[in-house]
Amino acid sequence: MSLKFIVSNEIELIPLAKRISRFISKDQIIFFEGDAGSGKTTFIRYILSEISKLEKKTFLFQGSPTYQREHIYYFNKFNVIHFDFYQVQSNKIDLDEYFNDNCIFIEWPLKNLIKRYQHEALSINISAVDQKRYIEIKSIDKKWLHKIK
């Protein structure tokens, strides 16, 4: 089961980001997949912005962590660690130590991470066709989709 959305511009990401942000909490993992330039980092920025609004906390987006590998956003109830594994060659990364009081966002998730966390993860795939973005949200854990729906 999956949910599918089509957006024509960035502003149309806001309602979807708002829906997702309401259900994000610590010990969760979200994979962001799609080609380069499809809008993964932009969508993450909108989700983080919505979390900051819910928590009435100031927010400064640090951009894509392509070269730093991770950025941490500190919120009141939990933190979000934003990873980008685009340039990572090794497939032997373990995230267990990061889950404590954190939610994890991963752009370009590695195959071993998808395999290990697929049963609890939310997967967001974004594809760009012409000027539109096609967003597919799926999870083996159906509670994610029922909440977002």
Side-chain angles (χ1 to χ4, degrees), residues 39-123:
K40 297 178 298 296
T41 304
T42 300
F43 194 38
I44 288 171
R45 176 171 40 98
Y46 278 101
I47 293 171
L48 290 169
S49 177
E50 292 301 323
I51 293 170
S52 72
K53 289 175 188 174
L54 287 170
E55 296 210 355
K56 297 181 173 108
K57 187 158 172 94
T58 44
F59 163 73
L60 176 64
F61 187 63
Q62 300 173 48
S64 177
T66 302
Y67 300 105
Q68 298 86 355
R69 190 181 300 173
E70 70 184 62
H71 289 310
I72 301 174
Y73 297 92
Y74 298 95
F75 295 108
N76 299 324
K77 297 177 185 171
F78 60 92
N79 304 317
V80 174
I81 303 176
H82 176 192
F83 287 101
D84 184 322
F85 293 135
Y86 179 70
Q87 297 189 20
V88 175
Q89 300 299 318
S90 171
N91 206 16
K92 297 180 181 181
I93 292 179
D94 185 10
L95 297 176
D96 286 347
E97 66 187 65
Y98 290 97
F99 277 108
N100 192 18
D101 293 329
N102 299 309
C103 177
I104 299 173
F105 289 4
I106 302 177
E107 289 186 66
W108 305 98
L110 305 171
K111 289 178 184 176
N112 76 312
L113 297 176
I114 292 171
K115 184 177 179 181
R116 180 163 185 190
Y117 298 107
Q118 67 183 340
H119 293 288
E120 63 232 40
L122 183 68
S123 179

